[in-house]
């Protein structure tokens, strides 16, 4: 349906046409006539990217009265969304006379914003906290509000704005019409709508909590310690990737972004420890595609609105399905296709089933591409770039005869091979010995080798390292106490505790490892827990010798030329413990005893002999 058919004013039609909108999007087809012809309130289940800003913005602009008073209020969760909505509304009202749209949001000098409100804005776009501030300063008058929009209502509740929203709702006239937009419909939203939206109609774009049809949901099943290498494979397999990698904690976000950057990827981190200016700068770099891969926490990514993401990668699955809906809804927007990738371990399969049930979409388990697949993909990408490159004949022609002469001795095939090798050798090298990262039946059999007794026996173990040792009077009982505090789970089985002067090593089941690391690292203090070099736990000593690895470099760091490394000028070293894509598999039966980490910590700390085992 065209916008003209929807009965919008000429000035609005002109602006919309200039923006290149040809037909109304489904939500607009529903919301525009509804707002213009009915009197009820509206609840719209819709994600960002569905065209909801125009869905509420166009009818409100069409309905504005010709008076200088604040007639519409749009509440949004973040400053970035406020700015974006205000800019969209300014665009739509470009040809309307005397329409003023002002965004007000926290984190910005209030004086500047106050100045903009010297004359009232017909449309105010605000974050709830800042609006309360302005109300208290008597700088805004909400008594003439005809239209109130709650945008991304579920996000506002997630961010703790419930009290602010109810305060604001109570300051607006009961005669107002309210429009509530939300990607999901948790109980909090239903409560608000029951209390504050009287005669209401619900529309939805797709079903409730439904995943966007344009998004393909896939997952890879990996061992916890292979997450990072899997991430690199995914990125390498998609040379044109433009995506967000979601992590659970700030620390993990920083770590993964740092590793990617160190490995030569076009990546950066977005998290709450950055100042507003730093966040703005990262977001801007990402928006203009100076960065291909943004590693972010859910909270920090909220303010970022980009329509053309090719991938969303769940480095870890989020704790709740709502967050998954939000994450995956960031791709597949504006009628483009997108992929939501989840890197999971076997215990998380149940979570996938749960998400499938709620979003009513099927996930596809895919095999992690092997080295050959990745190399092929990169090679063809290179060829494609070569085919499409613009050739500057004018500058090249004068040099060409000499160039041809120089290449005379080689035939076409050889020239192609050499040029490809020039660009590609390092990449081929990186992937030469790249192992299979997929979990197969034989892996579960292999896990049998690491069975330990006790209630949680049967799981493979991972050796972790905390940066506290004898120097801090650290002890096994303190470790267990901290673990209980951090995770609140007394059933986590810990074995093989070794306290050295600076560090303490311990084994937990691979299934618990992520949770333990995240819980400790979220404590916020100095304590940091990482996977120990050598990775695999030794099952409480029964499989001693395993970590010994080969007699040379030992364990995990291995001898491959840096599996999973990158292309595009990436550094030779992988940051995953030196980059070996699990050469330990080959080494596990060779003797040795004393893992790689032992030598390392022992030699650097000089405390090898003082190591205590518990
Ligand atoms: P939103 O969900 O409001 O963030 O909109 C998503 C994207 O779709 C934005 O880039 C809008 O500019 C764009 N958009 C909104 N309505 C239309 C339309 N009718 N036709 C084409 N693009 C649109």
């Amino acid at each position: 349906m065209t916008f003209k058919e929807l009965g919008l004013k000429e000035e609005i039609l002109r602006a919309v046409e200039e923006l290149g909108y040809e037909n109304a999007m489904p939500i607009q087809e529903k919301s525009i006539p509804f707002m213009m012809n009915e009197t009820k309130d509206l609840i719209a289940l819709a994600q960002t990217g569905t065209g909801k800003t125009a869905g509420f913005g166009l009818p409100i602009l069409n309905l504005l009265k010709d008076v200088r008073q604040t007639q519409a209020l749009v509440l949004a969760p973040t400053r970035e969304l406020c700015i974006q909505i205000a800019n969209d509304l300014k665009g739509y009202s470009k040809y309307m006379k005397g329409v003023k749209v002002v965004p007000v949001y926290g984190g910005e000098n209030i004086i500047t914003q106050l100045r903009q409100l010297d004359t009232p804005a017909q449309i105010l776009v605000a974050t709830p906290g800042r609006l309360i501030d302005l109300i208290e300063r008597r700088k805004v008058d909400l008594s003439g509000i005809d239209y109130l929009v709650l945008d991304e209502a579920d996000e506002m509740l997630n961010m703790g704005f419930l009290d602010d929203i109810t305060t604001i709702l109570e300051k607006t006239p009961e005669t107002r019409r309210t429009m509530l937009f939300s990607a999901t419909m948790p109980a909090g939203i239903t409560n608000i709508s029951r209390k504050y939206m009287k005669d209401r109609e619900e529309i939805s774009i797709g079903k409730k909590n439904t995943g966007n049809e344009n998004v393909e949901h896939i997952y890879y099943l990996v061992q916890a310690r292979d997450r990072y290498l899997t991430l690199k494979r995914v990125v390498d397999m998609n040379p044109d990737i433009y995506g967000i990698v979601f992590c659970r904690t700030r620390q993990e976000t920083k770590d993964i972004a740092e590793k990617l950057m160190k490995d030569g990827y076009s990546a950066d981190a977005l998290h709450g420890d950055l100042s507003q200016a730093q966040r703005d700068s990262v977001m801007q770099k990402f928006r203009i595609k100076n960065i291909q891969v943004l590693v972010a926490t859910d909270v920090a990514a909220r303010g970022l609105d980009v329509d053309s993401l090719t991938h969303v990668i769940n480095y870890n699955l989020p704790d709740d399905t709502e967050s998954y809906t939000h994450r995956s809804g960031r791709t597949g927007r504006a009628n483009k296709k997108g992929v939501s990738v989840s890197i999971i371990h076997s215990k998380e399969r149940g979570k996938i089933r749960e998400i499938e049930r709620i979003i009513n979409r099927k996930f596809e388990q895919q095999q992690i591409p092997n080295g050959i697949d990745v190399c092929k993909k990169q090679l063809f990408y290179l060829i494609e770039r070569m085919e499409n490159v613009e050739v500057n004949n004018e500058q090249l022609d004068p040099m060409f005869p000499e160039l041809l002469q120089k290449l005379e001795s080689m035939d076409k095939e050889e020239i192609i091979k050499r040029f490809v090798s020039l660009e590609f050798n390092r990449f081929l090298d990186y992937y030469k010995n790249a192992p299979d990262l997929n979990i197969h039946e034989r892996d579960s059999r292999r896990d049998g080798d690491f069975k330990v007794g006790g209630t949680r026996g049967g799981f493979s173990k991972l050796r972790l390292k905390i940066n506290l040792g004898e120097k801090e009077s650290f002890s096994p009982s303190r470790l267990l106490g901290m673990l209980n505090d951090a995770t609140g789970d007394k059933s986590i089985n810990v074995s093989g505790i070794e306290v050295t002067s600076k560090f303490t090593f311990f084994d937990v089941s691979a299934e618990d490892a992520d949770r333990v690391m995240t819980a400790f690292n979220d404590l916020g203090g100095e304590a940091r827990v990482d996977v120990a070099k050598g990775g695999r736990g030794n099952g409480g000593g029964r499989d001693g010798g395993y970590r010994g690895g080969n007699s040379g470099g030992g364990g995990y760091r291995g001898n491959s030329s840096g599996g999973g490394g990158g292309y595009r000028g990436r550094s030779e070293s992988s940051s995953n413990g030196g980059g070996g894509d699990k050469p330990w598999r080959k080494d596990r039966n060779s003797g040795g005893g004393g893992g790689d980490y032992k030598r390392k910590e022992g030699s650097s700390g000089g405390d090898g002999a003082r190591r205590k085992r518990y």
Side-chain angles (χ1 to χ4, degrees):
M1 195 182 278
T2 64
F3 287 100
K4 200 174 174 126
E5 286 168 312
L6 290 170
L8 293 168
K9 287 180 179 167
E10 207 51 54
E11 304 96 289
I12 299 178
L13 291 177
R14 196 172 150 202
V16 164
E17 192 182 330
E18 261 183 32
L19 286 167
Y21 298 3
E22 284 171 10
N23 291 305
M25 288 168 91
I27 194 164
Q28 297 157 1
E29 280 188 13
K30 290 185 178 172
S31 68
I32 296 174
F34 180 85
M35 285 309 289
M36 291 192 343
N37 305 323
E38 312 237 353
T39 51
K40 293 180 190 172
D41 286 348
L42 180 73
I43 299 175
L45 269 161
Q47 300 183 347
T48 322
T50 49
K52 62 190 166 70
T53 315
F56 63 76
L58 298 180
I60 288 178
L61 285 169
N62 207 79
L63 290 162
L64 280 185
K65 292 180 293 206
D66 191 13
V67 283
R68 274 222 165 269
Q69 89 181 39
T70 306
Q71 300 166 50
L73 171 64
V74 181
L75 289 180
T78 61
R79 109 194 192 119
E80 288 79 11
L81 189 57
C82 264
I83 295 172
Q84 195 195 322
I85 294 170
N87 284 342
D88 284 355
L89 297 182
K90 283 177 194 169
Y92 302 147
S93 58
K94 190 171 155 191
Y95 296 110
M96 293 174 76
K97 284 219 173 68
V99 173
K100 186 171 166 189
V101 182
V102 171
V104 290
Y105 42 83
E108 185 92 341
N109 188 336
I110 196 162
I111 306 296
T112 325
Q113 291 182 357
L114 288 175
R115 222 171 287 138
Q116 291 187 62
L117 292 170
D118 282 346
T119 54
Q122 281 91 341
I123 306 182
L124 202 57
V125 187
T127 51
R130 176 54 61 99
L131 184 65
I132 297 271
D133 207 342
L134 294 173
I135 293 172
E136 282 167 1
R137 289 168 187 249
R138 297 182 189 286
K139 287 293 175 190
V140 292
D141 173 12
L142 301 183
S143 64
I145 292 290
D146 293 322
Y147 308 101
L148 174 69
V149 178
L150 301 171
D151 195 17
E152 300 206 354
D154 48 356
E155 282 293 333
M156 289 201 279
L157 292 203
N158 283 342
M159 290 171 79
F161 284 134
L162 178 62
D163 289 347
D164 288 349
I165 291 173
T166 44
T167 308
I168 293 165
L169 278 162
E170 274 160 16
K171 294 218 180 297
T172 56
E174 280 197 17
T175 50
R176 65 164 195 265
R177 285 182 76 194
T178 308
M179 281 192 265
L180 185 152
F181 291 82
S182 195
T184 56
M185 228 355 108
I189 303 285
T190 314
N191 292 343
I192 290 191
S193 66
R194 283 212 190 105
K195 194 159 174 203
Y196 294 99
M197 299 171 72
K198 277 160 240 113
D199 201 5
R200 56 192 184 270
E201 187 141 320
E202 198 173 299
I203 60 169
S204 74
I205 297 309
K207 289 186 198 127
K208 274 185 199 180
N209 289 346
T210 286
N212 177 340
E213 292 294 321
N214 285 331
V215 182
E216 188 189 351
H217 301 264
I218 65 171
Y219 69 90
Y220 295 113
L221 203 57
V222 300
Q223 306 273 11
R225 66 173 178 282
D226 288 335
R227 274 186 212 276
Y228 179 67
L229 292 178
T230 306
L231 171 66
K232 293 214 294 187
R233 294 260 176 110
V234 174
V235 175
D236 284 337
M237 201 54 193
N238 295 282
D240 270 332
I241 193 168
Y242 178 49
I244 302 181
V245 178
F246 282 99
C247 291
R248 268 206 290 240
T249 63
R250 293 172 184 191
Q251 192 57 46
E252 190 178 55
T253 305
K254 286 183 213 170
D255 291 347
I256 302 304
E258 263 167 38
K259 280 181 181 181
L260 285 172
M261 285 188 271
K262 210 167 138 203
D263 287 346
Y265 292 84
S266 158
D268 212 334
L270 186 68
H271 51 76
D273 287 348
L274 301 177
S275 68
Q276 185 63 52
Q278 286 171 317
R279 258 185 285 169
D280 284 347
S281 152
V282 173
M283 286 197 264
Q284 185 52 15
K285 277 195 273 175
F286 187 59
R287 275 193 203 102
I288 61 171
K289 301 194 178 176
N290 263 358
I291 298 169
Q292 269 186 286
V293 177
L294 186 71
V295 189
T297 56
D298 292 85
V299 176
R302 270 180 191 144
L304 185 70
D305 238 340
V306 188
D307 281 337
S308 49
L309 293 188
T310 59
H311 288 74
V312 160
I313 300 177
N314 297 284
Y315 192 74
N316 283 296
L317 276 179
D319 289 329
D320 55 278
T321 310
E322 248 180 67
S323 304
Y324 181 85
T325 312
H326 278 290
R327 287 180 179 185
S328 59
R330 293 181 159 277
T331 182
R333 288 184 178 185
N335 290 333
K336 294 194 182 105
K337 295 266 176 228
V339 186
S340 172
V341 178
S342 301
I343 304 174
I344 68 162
H345 58 76
S346 49
K347 221 182 165 188
E348 290 176 310
R349 268 196 178 134
K351 264 193 189 175
I352 294 281
R353 301 283 97 88
E354 170 77 8
I355 298 173
E356 279 183 333
R357 196 177 54 74
I358 296 176
I359 69 170
N360 198 20
R361 297 291 310 277
K362 274 263 165 257
F363 277 64
E364 189 191 334
Q365 181 185 351
Q366 287 193 357
Q367 294 295 301
I368 303 160
N370 61 31
I372 295 170
D373 295 336
V374 177
C375 284
K376 252 198 215 162
K377 183 83 189 192
Q378 290 280 350
L379 184 58
F380 281 96
Y381 181 65
L382 177 68
I383 303 293
E384 210 176 291
R385 275 170 48 217
M386 189 269 286
E387 280 172 341
N388 294 328
V389 72
E390 220 171 279
V391 176
N392 187 335
N393 287 317
E394 207 181 313
Q395 276 187 301
L396 279 181
D397 282 353
M399 300 178 245
F400 211 61
E402 215 178 320
L403 200 65
L404 281 182
Q405 208 179 355
K406 199 140 179 53
L407 295 174
E408 222 169 33
S409 60
M410 281 183 250
D411 62 18
K412 183 178 163 189
E413 198 172 313
E414 178 141 21
I415 292 175
I416 294 173
K417 276 189 186 161
R418 280 174 185 267
F419 270 103
V420 166
S421 302
L422 203 60
E423 274 279 308
F424 209 55
N425 263 357
R426 199 145 53 129
F427 196 77
L428 287 172
D429 246 10
Y430 278 132
Y431 272 108
K432 193 164 53 190
N433 295 320
D436 183 2
L437 298 177
N438 295 288
I439 295 182
H440 300 287
E441 282 306 305
R442 59 190 163 82
D443 287 320
S444 37
R445 279 204 301 280
R446 176 180 287 136
D447 283 346
D449 294 348
F450 308 101
K451 273 186 187 164
V452 290
T455 50
R456 290 182 164 236
F459 295 134
S460 65
K461 295 205 151 199
L462 211 58
R463 190 138 186 90
L464 303 183
K465 176 181 93 169
I466 184 165
N467 60 340
L468 296 170
E470 284 169 354
K471 282 192 175 145
E472 290 82 16
S473 308
F474 204 60
S475 63
S477 56
R478 272 190 62 202
L479 172 71
L480 297 177
M482 274 179 88
L483 188 71
N484 285 345
D485 289 346
T487 61
D489 181 355
K490 291 200 166 107
S491 70
I492 292 175
N493 206 359
V494 178
S495 56
I497 304 175
E498 285 177 77
V499 182
T500 71
S501 68
K502 290 185 186 166
F503 300 98
T504 298
F505 299 87
F506 58 101
D507 294 344
V508 293
S509 76
E511 283 75 11
D512 287 332
D514 261 0
R515 199 151 55 92
V516 168
M517 285 191 282
T518 307
F520 265 109
N521 297 337
D522 277 356
L523 283 176
E526 303 266 291
R528 292 270 304 123
V529 176
D530 298 295
V531 178
K533 296 266 164 43
R536 272 269 163 148
N538 64 1
R542 282 170 39 165
D543 288 300
Y546 172 71
R547 279 172 294 145
N550 59 9
S551 48
Y556 207 145
R557 293 205 282 167
N559 51 7
S560 91
S561 54
Y567 183 47
R568 282 170 261 152
R570 281 164 206 160
S571 72
E572 296 276 338
S573 69
S574 156
S575 46
N576 188 30
D581 249 357
K582 298 194 296 185
W584 54 267
R585 286 201 172 155
K586 281 187 270 169
D587 305 329
R588 50 180 281 265
N589 291 324
S590 56
D596 178 46
Y597 72 87
K598 276 193 180 172
R599 270 191 292 283
K600 192 162 184 249
E601 304 300 343
S603 57
S604 62
D607 63 346
R610 289 175 48 217
R611 181 176 294 264
K612 286 185 195 161
R613 272 204 87 93
Y614 295 85

